[in-house]
Amino acid sequence: MLKKEADFAIIGGGIVGLSIAHGVLKQGASVICIDGTDTDFRASRGNFGLVWVQGKGIKTPFYAAWTRDAARLYPSFVSELSEETGIKINLSQNGGYEYFLDSKALDQRIAEYKKLKSALNGDYPYEILSSTEIRSAEPMVGGETVGATFYPYDGHLNPLQLLRALTESCQKRGLSHYLGEIVDMAKKKDGVFKLVTKKGLEVSAEKVVVCAGLGAKKIGPLFGFKDLVSPQRGQILITEKLPPIIGRPSVTIRQTNEGAIQIGDSQEQVGLNDNETQAQMSRIAQNAIKVMPKLAQLRLVRAWGSLRVMSPDGLPIYQQSVSMPGAFIVTCHSGITLSAIHSAILSRWLTGQKNVPDLSLFSENRFHA
Ligand SMILES: Cc1cc2nc3c(=O)[nH]c(=O)nc-3n(C[C@H](O)[C@H](O)[C@H](O)COP(=O)(O)OP(=O)(O)OC[C@H]3O[C@@H](n4cnc5c(N)ncnc54)[C@H](O)[C@@H]3O)c2cc1C
């Protein structure tokens, strides 16, 4: 049996686990990351690639603020990662749009943003664009679009390149990375955690962070965490590659740096099923054409389904175990957007640093109410 030890053991090497590993390693701690197998559901490899603030935390200003602050950290986070690894992450963060096809829905969003901005002491710099303004800013927009909201820190990137860069940066900083290993046993004795994988790898660590995505359902309860995550399927369509025709991304349509238009806006409760379906693909395409009618002329070349890792209220869960102190769970939808803040700030909460924002509103306890 191979035995390894470190200050931190991170279970799960998706975007969440690696962002945290990155931040913890930068503080000088040693880290072992144990990551499952290619047959696992992996949201980090099937997502839309947005760094996105608008629309989030409308009724929970603390989450809107956390997301806004995450987006603000992004440019320096990405440039440091790219410089260090030479990997291009293709971050474009010049703002993004949410398009509206219905004036009532737009009016409602304007009212919600006014309230949110005041709850955040004015620090929520959205703008509203009329139908004429958005059509002139984005010539592809037409059809039924009645207006748009704009948020200046929104953007997009290549999420697979971000994952690669984080992996390489962590490995350069001394990460011990075990792939194809599934943790299925955990205990704590004399203040030290001992984890054992199915293949027999044995890891000892002072602290454990469960970042297992949907795998947390199974592994979380071993550390006393509640079984709170559930899957939500999203499907994504990819068109042929074109010269630049879309300036800024929206929450459902973006043009990647390679030229393909990526479209997706489905949220389905179908359990652990990440297949794509004809019905959803048609609906997604039809909705996109309502915003940008010229998309109808493009050829679709690829589509996939992927499962989001959802908590009951859609917000992140950051929790230290009550029954096994030293074990933490970190899980979220929006793991791409939160990557920078998970590395820079959440990692300091995990290492027990002072001057970390109060994260108690993200604890599991909120689900008692
Ligand atoms: C369709 C779709 C679109 C999305 N779009 C965006 C977006 O535009 N912007 C954004 O910010 N977010 C987006 N997301 C969300 C984002 O992708 C996720 O929040 C993020 O990928 C979650 O990362 P994770 O590391 O928690 O989970 P995962 O990527 O699922 O990784 C979990 C890892 O844990 C491993 N694991 C599981 N169990 C065990 C075990 N017992 N032992 C060892 N390893 C284990 C698995 O192998 C896996 O590698 C989207 C998600 C989807 C599905």
Side-chain angles (χ1 to χ4, degrees):
M1 186 180 273
L2 184 60
K3 292 189 182 185
K4 293 281 161 188
E5 57 181 68
D7 299 328
F8 275 81
I10 296 183
I11 306 177
I15 197 73
V16 171
L18 288 174
S19 304
I20 286 170
H22 181 253
V24 168
L25 285 159
K26 277 179 93 174
Q27 293 173 58
S30 56
V31 180
I32 294 175
C33 175
I34 309 154
D35 194 26
T37 64
D38 286 342
T39 54
D40 291 343
F41 294 106
R42 288 175 154 162
S44 303
R45 289 160 200 242
N47 63 75
F48 203 69
L50 297 176
V51 174
W52 210 251
V53 180
Q54 62 178 300
K56 292 180 183 168
I58 282 174
K59 297 207 167 97
T60 45
F62 63 95
Y63 177 46
W66 184 240
T67 306
R68 175 201 64 201
D69 296 347
R72 280 184 174 147
L73 291 171
Y74 239 93
S76 57
F77 174 64
V78 159
S79 66
E80 189 187 304
L81 274 176
S82 290
E83 265 170 40
E84 195 187 340
T85 62
I87 295 171
K88 283 190 181 154
I89 297 167
N90 298 112
L91 174 69
S92 163
Q93 200 178 0
N94 303 313
Y97 303 114
E98 182 174 356
Y99 299 117
F100 287 82
L101 302 175
D102 168 1
S103 311
K104 262 194 189 159
L106 179 58
D107 290 345
Q108 185 186 333
R109 184 49 59 89
I110 295 170
E112 287 167 343
Y113 277 177
K114 267 189 192 155
K115 239 172 140 178
L116 183 57
K117 185 167 183 160
S118 132
L120 296 174
N121 299 321
D123 190 2
Y124 195 76
Y126 69 93
E127 291 170 32
I128 307 296
L129 278 76
S130 67
S131 170
T132 317
E133 286 167 332
I134 186 61
R135 283 162 203 250
S136 119
E138 287 287 341
M140 281 288 281
V141 171
E144 300 177 26
T145 312
V146 297
T149 52
F150 171 79
Y151 196 86
Y153 308 134
D154 285 342
H156 59 146
L157 48 70
N158 183 326
L160 296 178
Q161 294 292 80
L162 173 63
L163 198 63
R164 254 190 75 209
L166 274 171
T167 306
E168 205 166 304
S169 166
C170 287
Q171 288 173 351
K172 279 188 175 171
R173 291 168 194 272
L175 178 75
S176 301
H177 205 175
Y178 292 91
L179 307 175
E181 295 279 359
I182 310 255
V183 174
D184 70 346
M185 203 277 280
K187 59 184 180 191
K188 190 177 181 190
K189 203 174 159 211
D190 303 329
V192 177
F193 287 93
K194 198 204 252 183
L195 313 178
V196 184
T197 68
K198 278 187 183 167
K199 288 190 202 162
L201 171 69
E202 201 178 296
V203 168
S204 302
E206 280 172 36
K207 290 186 176 178
V208 172
V209 193
V210 177
C211 303
L214 290 171
K217 240 183 145 37
K218 206 163 167 188
I219 197 89
L222 295 184
F223 300 90
F225 298 115
K226 294 176 190 153
D227 168 13
L228 289 169
V229 293
S230 61
Q232 182 196 69
R233 185 170 69 189
Q235 298 187 37
I236 293 177
L237 313 181
I238 302 286
T239 71
E240 61 191 303
K241 291 179 184 167
L242 301 156
I245 52 169
I246 296 177
R248 293 186 169 106
S250 79
V251 73
T252 54
I253 307 171
R254 73 180 185 102
Q255 186 166 23
T256 68
N257 64 293
E258 289 153 343
I261 315 281
Q262 190 172 303
I263 310 166
D265 70 351
S266 63
Q267 297 171 356
E268 304 164 79
Q269 313 303 329
V270 290
L272 293 174
N273 173 346
D274 64 356
N275 290 342
E276 54 285 344
T277 63
Q278 183 70 51
Q280 277 299 331
M281 291 194 292
S282 304
R283 194 192 60 78
I284 292 167
Q286 275 163 15
N287 283 348
I289 290 164
K290 284 180 191 164
V291 176
M292 296 186 183
K294 287 184 189 152
L295 290 178
Q297 295 159 19
L298 302 184
R299 187 188 298 257
L300 288 177
V301 295
R302 205 151 63 91
W304 68 83
S306 182
L307 299 180
R308 299 184 180 92
V309 184
M310 298 303 289
S311 66
D313 59 5
L315 271 56
I317 298 174
Y318 306 140
Q319 175 74 49
Q320 177 164 199
S321 171
V322 176
S323 59
M324 282 172 115
F328 298 81
I329 187 162
V330 175
T331 180
C332 65
H333 176 54
S334 295
I336 301 299
T337 305
L338 296 176
S339 175
I341 208 163
H342 282 170
S343 170
I345 297 185
L346 194 73
S347 68
R348 295 203 287 124
W349 173 66
L350 295 165
T351 54
Q353 303 280 315
K354 290 182 183 138
N355 303 326
V356 174
D358 177 14
L359 297 171
S360 57
L361 290 170
F362 291 111
S363 84
E364 283 189 340
N365 301 336
R366 68 187 190 266
F367 299 112
H368 277 311

